[in-house]
Every structure is written in structure tokens, then in C-alpha cells.
Amino acid sequence: DAGVTQSPTHLIKTRGQQVTLRCSPKSGHDTVSWYQQALGQGPQFIFQYYEEEERQRGNFPDRFSGHQFPNYSSELNVNALLLGDSALYLCASSFWPQGAPDTQYFGPGTRLTVL
Amino acid sequence: GENVEQHPSTLSVQEGDSAVIKCTYSDSASNYFPWYKQELGKGPQLIIDIRSNVGEKKDQRIAVTLNKTAKHFSLHITETQPEDSAVYFCAARARFLSGGSYIPTFGRGTSLIVHP
């Protein structure tokens, strides 16, 4: 049973560029959440996708956008990159909860460096 | 919104000792408290979780306690081993006001170093 996978593992971009990160959820999961983890910090929630729609969003600007595909995989897009966008981007998958809190499983992350 | 404080930021112990990491949370609506272990270059891995209707949960050398009245919860690792060295994150989760899924708020992490 494959866990959460993310690609690429590392990425280097320059300021002003755009980037797309990809995530495949754990088998049987239908919900994907994206997090940004700066060095020495805990993960910060960006947004969550379920049924191909953004369901919830954290405190991130519109430069951060996403998409979920019919097979539940997801993309995170960041436009007009800033130096401060350098971080580890984590994808977490879960099963849309039926009342009780769901358990999220994280992927290995994509390390984005903006120069 | 939820605010999670985690202490200490760094914890250094000798192999075989116990380690305790403490977290406090602010939102009384939070009802799910997972703990994650993150090794260098990897994503966080869920190691144990506790729900608000339980005061303590144990899994081999790892235990978590929850005090809802005081709004704090702790991770206890006994008989520590060098492979326990990693960054540990606590999190508290409550349902967004608009409904939907539970989104965790993470602490800032504790770097645990176990010396052989």
C-alpha cells in the first residue's frame, strides 16, 4: 500500500517565477491538504481539497492556488515567487471525516528554494 | 483561532532516560491531539494521537496524556533510544467554524537528542 507521494523532492526557482508541486494521496484517501513548513517551524496550513474543490483555506495569499483531479491527486501552484516562499511543502492525505476527526498522513515533502 | 505552545524547543537526554514534551492549546473546541515525529529530510510521521474523551493513551514506550480542564497535553517517551532522535510536533485540531474537516494547528516542535 503506497503512502503519500510528492514530486519533485527538490526545486530551485528565482524570484518572480511560478512553481507547481504534485501530490498523490494514500490509497483510499480522498482529501488532500497542503502545508508550508519553514525551517525550524511547525507546518502551516495552506488549503484543503475534497471532491475537486477547495474546502478550507489558511492565511495564505492568492498567489497560492491548487487543484484536485478526479483520481484525488493534487497540485499546489505558487505564482510570483518571493524569497520568503522558500520552505518545505508538505502534502497530507486523509479520508473526508464522517463526524469524528480524521487522521492525516504526510508525504515526504518538496523542498523549494527561491533565489 | 487555535494557538499551540510547545516546550521545550530542545531536549537532550541519555539513552535509557525518559523524555517529556509538553503542549498547551487555546481553543476549548479542540478535540483531537496528534503527535508527529519528523526525521531529517522527511515528512512528519504520526506516532500517537488522543481524542478529547480520553485522558491517557499508551503505545509501547510512548504515552500521551491530556488535561482538558487545563488545556494541556504531553508526550512521554520511556527508555529512549538513539533512533528516537528527531523533531517532535504536537498539534491540536478543531473543526473550522464553516464546517468541514479538522485542520490541525502545530506547535513549533521539540528537537529531541538521545545520546548513546
Side-chain angles (χ1 to χ4, degrees), chain B residues 2-33:
Chain B
E2 176 65 277
N3 182 49
V4 177
E5 298 285 338
Q6 183 173 349
H7 299 280
S9 57
T10 305
L11 181 58
S12 184
V13 301
Q14 289 296 127
E15 183 177 0
D17 287 350
S18 294
V20 180
I21 302 170
K22 298 181 179 181
C23 291
T24 60
Y25 62 99
S26 60
D27 188 348
S28 57
S30 287
N31 57 4
Y32 176 60
F33 307 90

Side-chain angles (χ1 to χ4, degrees), chain B:
Chain B
E2 176 65 277
N3 182 49
V4 177
E5 298 285 338
Q6 183 173 349
H7 299 280
S9 57
T10 305
L11 181 58
S12 184
V13 301
Q14 289 296 127
E15 183 177 0
D17 287 350
S18 294
V20 180
I21 302 170
K22 298 181 179 181
C23 291
T24 60
Y25 62 99
S26 60
D27 188 348
S28 57
S30 287
N31 57 4
Y32 176 60
F33 307 90
W35 285 88
Y36 289 88
K37 175 184 181 181
Q38 187 172 26
E39 297 174 322
L40 201 61
K42 298 184 179 180
Q45 176 191 5
L46 179 72
I47 55 172
I48 195 168
D49 56 15
I50 191 168
R51 300 180 190 273
S52 60
N53 58 348
V54 176
E56 183 174 357
K57 183 177 178 180
K58 195 172 183 179
D59 182 5
Q60 298 182 346
R61 296 187 297 110
I62 295 174
V64 58
T65 58
L66 170 64
N67 184 328
K68 284 191 65 181
T69 303
K71 288 192 271 187
H72 66 70
F73 56 113
S74 301
L75 177 71
H76 304 252
I77 305 175
T78 58
E79 301 172 20
T80 53
Q81 302 166 3
E83 50 266 38
D84 293 331
S85 297
V87 179
Y88 291 80
F89 291 97
C90 63
R93 300 180 63 178
R95 191 182 288 275
F96 265 26
L97 291 177
S98 59
S101 183
Y102 292 77
I103 303 300
T105 299
F106 286 82
R108 296 186 65 168
T110 295
S111 178
L112 174 63
I113 303 165
V114 181
H115 299 280

Side-chain angles (χ1 to χ4, degrees), chain A residues 10 56 79 82 88-89 92 110:
Chain A
H10 295 85
Q56 296 178 101
N79 295 323
L82 304 174
L88 180 68
Y89 287 85
T110 293

Side-chain angles (χ1 to χ4, degrees), chain A residues 5-110:
Chain A
T5 59
Q6 292 186 243
S7 63
T9 54
H10 295 85
L11 208 49
I12 299 175
K13 293 285 187 180
T14 56
R15 281 176 296 175
Q17 286 190 309
Q18 178 265 342
V19 68
T20 297
L21 311 181
R22 295 176 177 82
C23 170
S24 290
K26 183 178 168 66
S27 178
H29 285 180
D30 57 6
T31 302
V32 173
S33 303
W34 286 93
Y35 294 83
Q36 180 194 67
Q37 186 178 23
L39 206 59
Q41 304 290 322
Q44 298 289 319
F45 173 69
I46 302 175
F47 43 53
Q48 182 181 73
Y49 277 84
Y50 169 66
E51 289 187 333
E52 302 178 48
E53 290 188 14
E54 183 183 295
R55 296 292 176 162
Q56 296 178 101
R57 189 178 184 92
N59 189 26
F60 278 80
D62 292 345
R63 298 187 297 110
F64 290 77
S65 63
H67 188 77
Q68 185 180 34
F69 300 93
N71 67 353
Y72 308 122
S73 67
S74 177
E75 288 182 349
L76 164 66
N77 301 292
V78 187
N79 295 323
L81 284 167
L82 304 174
L83 295 179
D85 294 332
S86 295
L88 180 68
Y89 287 85
L90 295 163
C91 168
S93 77
S94 56
F95 185 70
W96 188 257
Q98 305 300 313
D102 55 307
T103 299
Q104 294 191 342
Y105 294 87
F106 284 85
T110 293

